[in-house]
Structure formats: structure tokens, C-alpha cells
Amino acid sequence: NRCPIDPNAKPALVPGSLHSMFERIVNEAADGSQGYSVTVHSGRSADSTLEDVALSEENDLAQPPWIITFDGFLSDEECDHLIKKGYESGYERSEDVGEEKFDGTFDSVKSEGRTSENAWCSDESGCRDDPIVKRIIEKMSMVMGIDAANMEDLQILRYEEGQRYHSHHDYIEIQRDRQNGPRILTFFLYLSDVEAGGGTRFTALDPMITVQPKKGRALLWPSVLNSKPRDQDPRMDHEALPVEKGTKFAANGWIHLFDERGPQKRGCT
């Protein structure tokens, strides 16, 4: 096996810690000392009983999934800098994950349901080592209490008028038993205001929840269950609604259960 699993690898989440992480984030922001405000769009009720929070998939699915936003998470300077780094790295038509190849890596495929453009803020381009980018990634890491090594390179996005991304889930099943483990969280950064459209809509929820773009806003949600952080939460399908007027810039931050950077460099993701 070219990419053996390390049995001693430390996971970013253990059963029960997903709820604890979100509750800590909300509580720490309550007094305004963090420099941003947090809005809970969906999440466990403050008056949940012990029975509600017992560790089981049944109780996970009985409670609303966590969806929170941070207003003022990024400064205008940080937003503009990420957009600039995207241009330096080069925006190209976004692609979806395709078929698995013989070496365990994946093809990428263009999709009519995903019409945005993106640029990768990677080591190869020098983007990830940029001082302002490093500061942003470290801020995201500190909020979650998860090492930055568990994060994929930021994917910087550009949506022009009419561009969208159809409903999808960020969890990739084949990664569940790989060195980096599955994607457990998405930390989504809005880098620009949009005159109309361009919201992020969670399509599997009833009622659906839509978060509107706002420059400096961040959106955080889980892809996995509180009781089973290796397993997909089926409720977290979402879509990028078409931009109706203006241009939407944003960035995806995907966080894995285990170290992502080491396996990524070894071709083991």
C-alpha cells in the first residue's frame, strides 16, 4: 500500500466534539471581543436536554445542523488581497471530481451545473506562503481549534452574471479511509458584495436556508455527523445561486479529519 493509514494519527474531531466546537465559537463571539459577530442560522437549541445530545446518529439527525456566519471576519484589505492572488494564480473554469484513476488520484471534469471559475492558492504558486494569506488561514484555524495542516489550499472563486453551482455535497466518500480522512467542515469566505443573487442555499433543509454574499462575511458548516465524524451528514447539500447582477468573489476552505498537507504532497489524498 503506497499510502498506509497511520493508526496514531490525531483526528481533528472525535465523537461529540463537533457540537462543542460550534457552541464554543458562538459563546466566544457573544461579547464582541473577537472583532466579528456570529449569527446562528441553524444549530442545536440552547435548551437541549441530555437526552437530545446523547451520541447517536438518530439524535444528530433530530437536531438542526450547524450553519453559522461571521460578519466582519475578513477586512476589506484581506478580501481584496485574496481576489488579487486569484488573478495571479489564474482563474480557470471550475471542475468537479471525476473518476478515480489507477494510482488512486482523480480526474477532474467540467460540469454544466458548475459554471464558475476558480484559482488555487497553493504552495506551487507561492500563494499559500503569502503573509496575508497565512494570516487568514491561521485565523480560520484558531476559530475552529483545528490545525491549519488539515486545510486544503484555498480555492478562490469568481462568479460572473448567470454563473452558478448546482446542489452538491462537499463530502467525498472515497476520502473516508484515506490518510487525510474526509472533509469535515467548509469554511466559506465571501470576498465581495454582490448587487443581486449569488447566495448560498442549503437545499436539503426544510425550510431551505439561504446566506447572502457580503464582503468580509464567512460561512461555516459541517459535512459530517457529531456522533460519527467520519460519516457524511446527508442534510448538508447546498448550491451557489446564479449571480443576477455584479460579480461574486469567494473562497472555499475545506477542512479534513486528519492532516491534509502531508498526504497531499505525497499524492495520497
Side-chain angles (χ1 to χ4, degrees), residues 93-96 109-116 165-166:
R93 170 71 181 271
S94 298
E95 297 180 328
D96 286 331
V109 293
K110 290 184 173 65
S111 167
E112 291 305 313
R114 188 182 191 187
T115 56
S116 61
Y165 190 3
H166 64 169

Side-chain angles (χ1 to χ4, degrees), residues 29 33 35 41 44 67 76 97 103 113 123 145 149 166 173 222 231 241:
S33 62
H41 300 267
R44 196 173 76 184
I67 301 172
D76 284 354
V97 177
D103 62 353
D123 289 327
H166 64 169
E173 178 68 32
D231 292 356
L241 295 169

Side-chain angles (χ1 to χ4, degrees), residues 149-180:
N150 289 49
M151 290 179 56
E152 293 183 32
D153 295 331
L154 291 176
Q155 185 190 55
I156 306 172
L157 303 164
R158 180 176 66 189
Y159 288 82
E160 301 289 358
E161 290 181 10
Q163 292 184 329
R164 63 184 290 269
Y165 190 3
H166 64 169
S167 185
H168 63 284
H169 203 292
D170 288 344
Y171 185 96
I172 299 175
E173 178 68 32
I174 195 67
Q175 293 178 329
R176 184 185 186 281
D177 297 312
R178 294 200 170 188
Q179 288 184 350
N180 56 340

Side-chain angles (χ1 to χ4, degrees), residues 40-62:
V40 178
H41 300 267
S42 175
R44 196 173 76 184
S45 170
D47 59 0
S48 297
T49 67
L50 289 175
E51 182 180 345
D52 290 331
V53 298
L55 290 179
S56 71
E57 182 173 349
E58 181 181 5
N59 279 336
D60 287 345
L61 298 178

